[in-house]
Every structure is written in C-alpha cells, then in structure tokens.
C-alpha cells in the first residue's frame, strides 16, 4: 500500500513540475492567462498529493493503533499504557477522585 501511495504522490508532484515549467517555459509566449491558470492548477496539486500520500489504507496499521498481538485491555476496553501516564490522563479527564 505504501508503494502505491508513494507512486501516486510522485506522479502528482511530477505533473505539478511539468505544469509549472511548461507554463513559464513556452505557454507564456502564446497566452499569459493560460500560463497563470496552469500555475494556479500546479499550486493546488501539492496539498492534494500530501493528502493522497498520507491516506490510510485498509490494511495499514496507524501510529495510534495497538499491535494486533496486544491483548492488554482495561475494564473500559481501552488499551492500557504506562500506569503513570494513565493517572495523568485520568486527572486531565476529571476521572481522578480526590
């Protein structure tokens, strides 16, 4: 999945470069408004390419997902971490009894 997303990202960024270079390399000689329009399209491509590259696939494990072999669960069904960290989060969530 990562290879597919990486390939899509590089195709989109390559298209962005082709649009930008061709707009000011030779399209501007015939039509400046067309060159500006091409640059506007090229300006929109990088954020879209970043979203495509960072999209989660159906088989990808994300950074905050517990590993599949992890069976540690609390009574609430949440994964347990460091006890000190759990106390800190409970205090922030207002679950700590004084």
């Amino acid at each position: 999945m990562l290879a597919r997303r990486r390939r899509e990202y590089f195709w989109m960024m390559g298209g962005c470069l082709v649009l930008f270079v061709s707009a000011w390399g030779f399209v501007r000689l015939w039509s400046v408004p067309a060159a500006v329009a091409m640059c506007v399209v090229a300006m929109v491509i990088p954020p879209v390419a970043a979203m495509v590259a960072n999209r989660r696939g159906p088989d990808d494990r994300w950074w905050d997902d517990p590993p599949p072999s992890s069976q540690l669960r609390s009574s609430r069904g949440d994964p347990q971490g460091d006890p000190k960290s759990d106390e800190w989060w409970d205090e922030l969530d207002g679950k700590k009894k004084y």
Side-chain angles (χ1 to χ4, degrees):
M1 293 294 180
L2 178 64
R4 179 188 51 81
R5 290 193 318 256
R6 185 179 294 162
R7 193 175 319 115
E8 289 175 5
Y9 175 80
F10 283 117
W11 272 107
M12 291 177 82
M13 292 305 290
C16 176
L17 287 173
V18 166
L19 278 173
F20 184 74
V21 170
S22 64
W24 295 112
F26 56 88
V27 173
R28 71 174 167 85
L29 299 173
W30 289 282
S31 173
V32 172
V36 171
M38 289 172 69
C39 284
V40 168
V41 171
M43 179 181 69
V44 173
I45 292 175
V48 173
M51 287 185 272
V52 167
N54 290 316
R55 184 179 57 212
R56 179 181 178 177
D59 298 332
D60 294 339
R61 212 180 111 233
W62 213 235
W63 63 274
D64 61 346
D65 286 344
S69 63
S70 174
Q71 296 299 323
L72 294 176
R73 300 281 176 197
S74 68
S75 61
R76 297 183 311 222
D78 299 331
Q80 285 184 326
D82 178 34
K84 194 78 162 165
S85 176
D86 289 341
E87 289 176 23
W88 183 73
W89 281 110
D90 286 344
E91 182 179 341
L92 284 176
D93 291 338
K95 296 177 184 175
K96 187 172 185 175
K97 306 276 190 260
Y98 294 104

